Amino acid sequence: MTTDINKANISRRSLLQIAGWGSLLATFGIAIGSGLRFLYPRVLFEKPSTFKIGAPDDFKINGDSDYQVYEIWKAEQSVWIVREKNRMYALYAKCTHLGCTPNYFADDKVFKCPCHGSQFRGNGINFTGPAPRPLDRFNISISKEGIIAVDKSRVYTFKEFDKRGAYVEV
Ligand code: FES
């Protein structure tokens, strides 16, 4: 009888010891995990605001048109590049009404917004629908080496289209 009671006490004591060690290990684990997390702070990696698009000669005007719209960077950067004979600029692919993404119809040379029907000419100027102003532009520049870069951190509205940076001479 006494032996049974002793065995029960021992197994209860063992269980308590296991639970105690488990708790201690869990506490150490959490402390170490927190320490490691502190060493590697959370950082949000954003795409750089500036990207290179190439040299002016990479952008040709097809046929006898006054300009050519390039859609290469629309999906990734929300940018259309427009090449005119002597200048280039970068249109922001965002409707100036409520921010939908227009589509470019090359045959008509028109951007059409699918949300409320605004339309913009190939140079970004609005001509029908509720959009209150032309498509905005991003900063564009050309390096000494002749490489063109677009900087999306600087946006120009139509009142600034004549400013250096809203276009680049080529
Ligand atoms: S968001 Fe483009 S017309 Fe309304």
Side-chain angles (χ1 to χ4, degrees):
M1 184 76 171
T2 314
T3 318
D4 287 346
I5 292 171
N6 280 345
K7 275 184 183 171
N9 277 341
I10 288 170
S11 66
R12 196 177 305 138
R13 198 178 305 144
S14 301
L15 268 177
L16 286 173
Q17 281 178 341
I18 289 169
W21 279 110
S23 303
L24 192 65
L25 288 175
T27 305
F28 276 131
I30 290 169
I32 289 170
S34 303
L36 287 175
R37 191 171 193 139
F38 178 75
L39 288 175
Y40 298 97
R42 287 187 207 176
V43 178
L44 192 62
F45 292 101
E46 291 184 1
K47 281 193 276 186
S49 66
T50 302
F51 61 99
K52 293 176 182 168
I53 61 171
D57 285 349
D58 298 332
F59 300 86
K60 309 267 187 232
I61 301 176
N62 295 331
D64 57 357
S65 178
D66 294 335
Y67 58 85
Q68 184 81 29
V69 175
Y70 284 83
E71 298 206 81
I72 309 164
W73 292 275
K74 181 190 173 191
E76 196 180 320
Q77 300 283 358
S78 296
V79 170
W80 286 295
I81 300 297
V82 181
R83 165 76 201 241
E84 293 182 355
K85 191 174 174 209
N86 296 317
R87 61 169 56 186
M88 291 176 63
Y89 41 90
L91 296 177
Y92 189 1
K94 181 179 172 187
C95 181
T96 50
H97 179 222
L98 293 176
C100 292
T101 303
N103 298 305
Y104 183 60
F105 294 83
D107 289 347
D108 301 330
K109 290 190 171 290
V110 165
F111 298 99
K112 295 180 182 175
C113 181
C115 292
H116 313 101
S118 288
Q119 294 187 36
F120 307 82
R121 301 196 194 289
N123 57 6
I125 305 299
N126 55 313
F127 66 93
T128 188
R133 64 177 194 276
L135 295 171
D136 296 335
R137 297 181 185 181
F138 290 121
N139 177 272
I140 191 167
S141 60
I142 187 164
S143 69
K144 283 179 193 153
E145 295 77 29
I147 301 299
I148 300 169
V150 174
D151 181 0
K152 293 170 61 181
S153 68
R154 172 70 165 99
V155 177
Y156 299 81
T157 58
F158 72 104
K159 289 180 182 169
E160 302 176 297
F161 282 178
D162 286 337
K163 277 191 177 172
R164 197 185 177 95
Y167 67 91
V168 69
E169 287 179 4
V170 291

